[in-house]
């Protein structure tokens, strides 16, 4: 309908614009508060970013003087890295030493014969043992591939299986122990043994043994000469060893040597077993020490004639009887009884437990530990123990299982190395108990003697210092941006992306009136520029001597404002020289103990850490800043919510009033139109 006006829907009198203009004035306090809230949030974000930068710097700083500081890192080198390498702990000594790898530690790795691809593994309980570990697989029967996968799935670090493609249509099964060392032989039991025999992985062998050292003919006089023996102490002699009831009884100071059968000595799998029992007896030194030595005078002789014997009178020395006792002979107690005698004439003590405990003990010697052995020397140097030693039994450890591998890739064996000429065996290729604080990693046999060198890892120290300088400069850059309103500060940071520059530009000078940042910057600069003389003869006492300073590269004859902003520079050549020649000084420069309590209490890193911690710790300066802003933000958000409610009510009130006014005006206009139309109608009727 023409002229129809609905208040609140039509806007004949522009009341909406009027209300909006009035509300813009009303919203000024709200807009001001919203802008203030945005500023609070920006400040809080900036403080948190400062906290992040300083925390990162503190972590890098702490790394320079903590127990894990890089100045103690060690680096190892090997002249034959394919054969042997080493890793050194931080407390390892700077040194070099010689190593020969005779053989690395190996594990049993056995191959089967070539098998048809469709070979079926019968059902059964398959048991594999390695040392004290055991793997049991309850197999329901199936293909070689599924059987191999079943072993690997249940392996648990004991054994591993693999199928190797042999000729066309053929497969070979590999079973491998995952533990090195001669004591970790791969043992097949139950269905596993049956399968290994069926597939030609192993074959049965007869166990053979030989005995020796149980007859008088086997015992030989010792060629050994005892050093440092007391004058009246009897020699260790075969005369004090005799065979009784099948055992060799060795009295105090008795001994003998017995040759090992050549076939047994030449077999690397030979073991020799025997028993020994030590029993305490009256110490022979008691009789020696109670006797008084007199000159031995021969008899006067005799003569016989006609069945009559006439003896000469005994000779007389005309010397008085001796009343002086000789120096007493000390008792001897030695646990070393058995010795390996080698073809080159050298000897080595056989490794045995404590024998002098008066209990019969069974001993087992692995001759692979004594390559080149020809005989065993038994020497009872004790003066108060007798020994009972059984016969020696030599047996082949491989055939002792009743089977032997047919296609062994490798067999279980210990690593054998020579350290500075000393032969050492270990079951693993990682050997950490030979050289203190150093782990040797054996890989292969050495062709010639390898040299392991341990030196300081200067590269790690250099990287740590470079990281420290980088973190310091990042923190200083952030402080400069927030505390100064100078656009060139951002322009000078050419490593920033466009987005990073835009963000920093929005933060430029945001804390120009807050002295917290300028204070920490000046404090850090003072710490870095100070001298630290931790010893009288210290060579390096300042950071600048390392080639790290705010002007390490020099001004080059021209003034540069950017060099005055507190950033650190590195003279790499100077730093390399200092690390090479004064590493201990550098370590102390960053942190040292002044009072001998083993706690670092001085140095650049220590002081920086302490300074930065005051800002970044819980309840510190930056935490106080952000918590204060948290309170302001909450208060501002509360005020904004209140103002927004007020604005909504005010706007509703204005719209109500203007709607009523618009309705009244519309009603008046309608009345005016009605009157006007009535007047016009009356005029037409009167004409």
């Amino acid at each position: 309908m023409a002229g129809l006006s609905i208040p609140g829907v039509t806007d004949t009198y522009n009341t909406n614009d009027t209300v909006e203009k009035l509300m813009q004035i009303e919203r000024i306090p709200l807009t001001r508060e919203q802008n203030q809230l945005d500023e609070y949030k920006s400040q809080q974000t900036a403080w948190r970013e400062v906290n992040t930068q300083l925390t990162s710097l503190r972590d890098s700083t702490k790394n320079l003087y903590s127990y894990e500081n890089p100045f103690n890192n060690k680096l190892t080198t090997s002249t034959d890295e394919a054969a042997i390498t080493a890793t050194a702990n931080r407390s390892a000594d700077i040194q070099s030493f010689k190593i020969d790898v005779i053989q690395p530690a190996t594990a049993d790795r056995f191959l089967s014969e070539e098998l048809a691809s469709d070979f079926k593994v019968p059902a059964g309980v398959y048991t594999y043992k390695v040392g004290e570990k055991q793997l049991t697989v309850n197999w329901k029967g199936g293909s070689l591939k599924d059987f191999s996968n079943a072993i690997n799935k249940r392996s648990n670090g004991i054994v591993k299986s693999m199928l190797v493609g042999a000729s066309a249509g053929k497969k070979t099964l590999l079973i491998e122990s995952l533990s090195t060392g001669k004591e970790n032989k791969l043992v097949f039991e139950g269905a596993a043994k049956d399968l290994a025999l069926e597939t030609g992985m192993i074959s049965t062998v007869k166990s053979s043994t030989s005995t020796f050292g149980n007859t008088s003919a086997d015992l030989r006089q010792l060629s050994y000469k005892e050093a440092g023996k007391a004058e009246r102490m009897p020699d260790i002699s075969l005369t004090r060893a005799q065979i009784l009831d099948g055992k060799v009884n060795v009295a105090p100071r008795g001994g003998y040597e017995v040759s090992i059968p050549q076939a047994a000595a030449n077999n690397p799998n030979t073991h020799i077993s025997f028993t020994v029992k030590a029993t305490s007896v009256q110490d022979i030194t008691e009789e020696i020490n109670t006797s008084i030595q007199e000159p031995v005078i021969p008899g006067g002789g005799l003569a016989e004639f006609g069945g009559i014997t006439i003896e000469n009178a005994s000779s007389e020395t005309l010397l008085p009887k001796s009343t002086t006792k000789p120096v007493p002979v000390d008792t001897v107690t030695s646990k070393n009884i058995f010795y390996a005698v080698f073809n080159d004439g050298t000897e080595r003590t056989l490794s045995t437990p404590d024998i002098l405990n008066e209990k019969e003990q069974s001993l087992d010697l692995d001759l692979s530990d004594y390559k080149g052995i020809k005989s065993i020397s038994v020497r009872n140097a004790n003066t108060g123990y007798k020994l009972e030693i059984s016969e020696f039994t030599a047996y082949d450890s491989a055939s002792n299982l009743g089977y032997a591998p047919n296609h062994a890739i490798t067999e279980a064996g210990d690593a054998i190395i020579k350290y500075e000429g000393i032969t050492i065996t270990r079951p693993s290729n990682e050997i950490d108990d030979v050289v203190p604080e150093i782990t040797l990693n054996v890989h292969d046999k050495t062709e010639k003697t390898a040299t392991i060198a341990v030196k300081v890892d200067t590269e790690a120290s250099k990287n740590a210092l470079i990281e420290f300088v980088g973190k310091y400069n990042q923190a200083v850059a952030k402080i400069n941006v927030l505390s100064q309103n100078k656009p060139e500060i951002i322009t000078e940071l050419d490593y920033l992306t466009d987005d990073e520059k835009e963000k920093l530009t929005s933060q430029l000078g945001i804390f120009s009136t807050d002295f917290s940042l300028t204070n920490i910057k000046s404090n850090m600069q003072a710490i870095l520029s100070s001298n630290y003389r931790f010893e009288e003869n210290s060579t390096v006492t300042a950071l600048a001597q390392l080639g790290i300073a705010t002007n390490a590269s020099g001004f080059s004859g021209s003034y540069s404002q950017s060099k005055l902003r507190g950033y650190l520079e590195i003279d790499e050549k100077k730093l390399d020289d200092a690390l090479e020649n004064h590493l201990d000084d550098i370590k102390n420069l960053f942190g040292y103990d002044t009072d001998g309590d083993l706690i670092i209490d001085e140095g650049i890193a220590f002081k920086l850490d302490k300074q930065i911690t005051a800002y970044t710790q819980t309840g510190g300066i930056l935490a106080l800043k952000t918590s204060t802003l948290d309170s302001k933000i909450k208060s501002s958000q509360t005020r904004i919510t209140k103002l927004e409610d007020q604005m909504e009510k005010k706007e509703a009130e204005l719209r109500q009033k203007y709607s009523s006014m618009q309705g009244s005006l519309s009603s008046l206009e309608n009345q005016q139109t009605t009157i006007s139309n009535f007047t016009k109608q009356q005029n037409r009727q009167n004409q």
Side-chain angles (χ1 to χ4, degrees), residues 232 289-292 322-328:
R232 293 189 295 153
N289 291 330
T290 56
S291 64
I292 298 177
S322 174
T323 58
T324 303
K325 290 186 178 181
V327 176

Side-chain angles (χ1 to χ4, degrees), residues 30 33-35 37 635-645:
L30 175 61
E33 194 62 45
Q34 288 173 332
N35 292 337
L37 177 61
S635 297
S636 180
Q637 288 173 335
T638 300
R639 287 193 294 272
I640 288 172
T641 300
K642 185 177 180 180
L643 287 170
E644 285 176 341
D645 290 342

Side-chain angles (χ1 to χ4, degrees), residues 78-80 83-84 97-101 446 448-452:
S78 170
T79 57
D80 191 350
I84 185 165
F97 49 87
K98 306 291 185 181
I99 292 285
D100 292 283
V101 179
T446 52
K448 58 182 181 179
T449 302
T451 300
I452 303 291

Side-chain angles (χ1 to χ4, degrees), residues 432-486:
D432 60 4
D433 59 351
V434 173
V435 187
E437 304 299 329
I438 293 176
T439 299
L440 301 174
N441 304 301
V442 178
H443 308 297
D444 204 349
K445 180 180 178 181
T446 52
E447 295 298 327
K448 58 182 181 179
T449 302
T451 300
I452 303 291
V454 182
K455 59 182 181 179
V456 176
D457 188 359
T458 55
E459 194 65 26
S461 300
K462 181 178 179 179
N463 291 338
L465 290 172
I466 291 174
E467 180 186 356
F468 162 72
V469 170
K471 296 290 180 63
Y472 178 84
N473 285 343
Q474 288 176 351
V476 169
K478 191 70 175 180
I479 291 171
N480 287 340
V481 168
L482 298 178
S483 62
Q484 301 177 48
N485 196 6
K486 298 178 180 179

Side-chain angles (χ1 to χ4, degrees), residues 115-301:
L115 306 172
S117 295
D118 59 354
F119 181 90
K120 299 297 182 183
V121 180
V125 179
Y126 291 75
T127 301
Y128 300 92
K129 289 184 177 180
V130 178
E132 297 181 354
K133 299 177 181 178
Q134 176 176 308
L135 170 67
T136 300
V137 178
N138 292 311
W139 178 244
K140 296 181 180 179
S143 67
L144 268 175
K145 181 179 179 181
D146 291 340
F147 177 71
S148 179
N149 290 338
I151 290 177
N152 292 331
K153 189 177 295 184
R154 298 167 176 81
S155 170
N156 198 26
I158 300 173
V159 296
K160 183 175 75 173
S161 174
M162 183 185 300
L163 287 179
V164 181
S167 56
K170 300 285 187 177
K171 296 288 184 181
T172 300
L173 178 64
L174 170 68
I175 302 294
E176 175 182 358
S177 163
L178 296 179
S179 299
T180 58
K182 66 183 181 183
E183 297 299 326
N184 293 315
K185 288 186 174 295
L186 176 59
V187 178
F188 303 90
E189 292 185 355
K193 183 177 179 180
D194 296 338
L195 178 65
L197 289 168
E198 180 186 354
T199 59
M201 185 175 291
I202 60 175
S203 58
T204 57
V205 294
K206 292 183 179 179
S207 178
S208 60
T209 62
S210 62
T211 59
F212 59 97
N214 56 348
T215 66
S216 298
D218 291 339
L219 310 186
R220 302 200 317 268
Q221 177 62 48
L222 297 166
S223 58
Y224 164 78
K225 298 297 182 183
E226 189 175 8
K229 180 176 71 68
E231 182 180 351
R232 293 189 295 153
M233 180 68 73
D235 292 332
I236 300 176
S237 172
L238 176 62
T239 60
R240 297 181 183 85
Q242 58 179 325
I243 296 177
L244 295 174
D245 299 328
K247 293 186 178 182
V248 182
N249 280 250
V250 186
R253 305 298 294 173
Y256 62 94
E257 188 172 318
V258 59
S259 296
I260 298 174
Q262 189 172 0
N266 293 338
N267 185 349
N269 296 320
T270 296
H271 282 234
I272 293 178
S273 63
F274 60 98
T275 63
V276 59
K277 180 180 180 181
T279 306
S280 60
V281 295
Q282 183 175 355
D283 201 296
I284 63 174
T285 59
E286 296 178 10
E287 182 180 352
I288 296 173
N289 291 330
T290 56
S291 64
I292 298 177
Q293 286 189 325
E294 297 289 348
V296 178
I297 301 173

